[in-house]
Amino acid sequence: MDPSALNSPDLQRFLNQEKEKAMVNEMVAKLTSVCWDKCITSTPGNKFSSSESACLSNCAQRFMDMTMIIMKRVQSMQET
Amino acid sequence: MDSFSTGSSGSGSPQISTDEFMDQMKVQLAQAYAQEFLETVRGKCFEKCITKPGSSLSGSESSCISRCVDRYIEATGIVGRALLNSR
């Protein structure tokens, strides 16, 4: 590969966008997997019950809350 | 126009443009995402629907799998939207 081609601003922008998209995709995939296991305990039906869909939504948000708490905790531990 | 060489350094290697490179990457990324999704759904739905493997798939197992795939896609949407709203 011609190294000077890597400097293309189009390519840099593209790679950054795809990197971001990949991270979002991974987060959603992982969260869906975890929350499916937590919330969908019975055989899948023709639609989710309201408690199942509420559980899925809550699960995702609580997971993100927890991530913030963990990050802050680890950060404060590193500072002492 | 920027170009990439698809072969190792040397004369005569075919050059592709940045645009073509990005297009090819997009296709490969989409395929990789689809593949990953397929494997996840396969695992989840096998677990939920095939509790006692028999000598063939029963009708109820088949319809369970169908519903399971639909529900997992729906779950992905619910989780994705919850993430978008919490940022």
Side-chain angles (χ1 to χ4, degrees):
Chain A
M1 189 192 286
D2 174 9
S4 69
L6 290 171
N7 294 330
S8 152
D10 277 350
L11 182 63
Q12 288 305 317
R13 184 173 37 235
F14 171 78
L15 288 176
N16 286 331
Q17 281 174 351
E18 291 306 318
K19 223 191 309 186
E20 169 113 24
K21 279 196 226 170
M23 293 196 314
V24 171
N25 180 277
E26 190 188 333
M27 184 97 255
V28 172
K30 185 203 205 120
L31 263 180
T32 306
S33 174
V34 164
C35 295
W36 173 274
D37 288 345
K38 277 226 185 290
C39 296
I40 313 303
T41 46
S42 57
T43 311
N46 285 317
K47 59 188 173 91
F48 285 137
S49 69
S50 56
S51 69
E52 281 171 327
S53 33
C55 180
L56 284 169
S57 180
N58 289 335
C59 172
Q61 291 175 356
R62 298 296 77 73
F63 192 96
M64 295 312 287
D65 290 345
M66 183 195 70
T67 303
M68 290 308 315
I69 292 173
I70 291 173
M71 272 166 45
K72 286 185 186 151
R73 181 102 183 98
V74 169
Q75 210 167 39
S76 69
M77 280 166 64
Q78 284 172 342
E79 281 160 7
T80 53
Chain B
M1 187 186 294
D2 298 311
S3 61
F4 296 92
S5 172
T6 54
S8 52
S9 67
S11 56
S13 319
Q15 304 283 317
I16 62 169
S17 66
T18 308
D19 283 344
E20 276 172 334
F21 177 80
M22 295 197 290
D23 283 346
Q24 284 181 17
M25 258 229 109
K26 279 191 227 177
V27 169
Q28 287 180 12
L29 281 167
Q31 284 174 344
Y33 293 144
Q35 180 74 7
E36 189 190 333
F37 185 77
L38 192 76
E39 283 172 16
T40 306
V41 174
R42 192 174 60 167
K44 298 296 187 194
C45 295
F46 190 84
E47 197 185 307
K48 285 263 183 266
C49 295
I50 318 292
T51 42
K52 244 184 168 323
S55 54
S56 65
L57 273 183
S58 72
S60 68
E61 283 170 332
S62 299
S63 47
C64 178
I65 291 166
S66 227
R67 293 191 308 264
C68 176
V69 173
D70 288 349
R71 297 287 74 69
Y72 200 84
I73 290 170
E74 198 182 334
T76 304
I78 293 173
V79 168
R81 281 190 298 277
L83 273 187
L84 266 177
N85 291 333
S86 74
R87 276 168 157 222

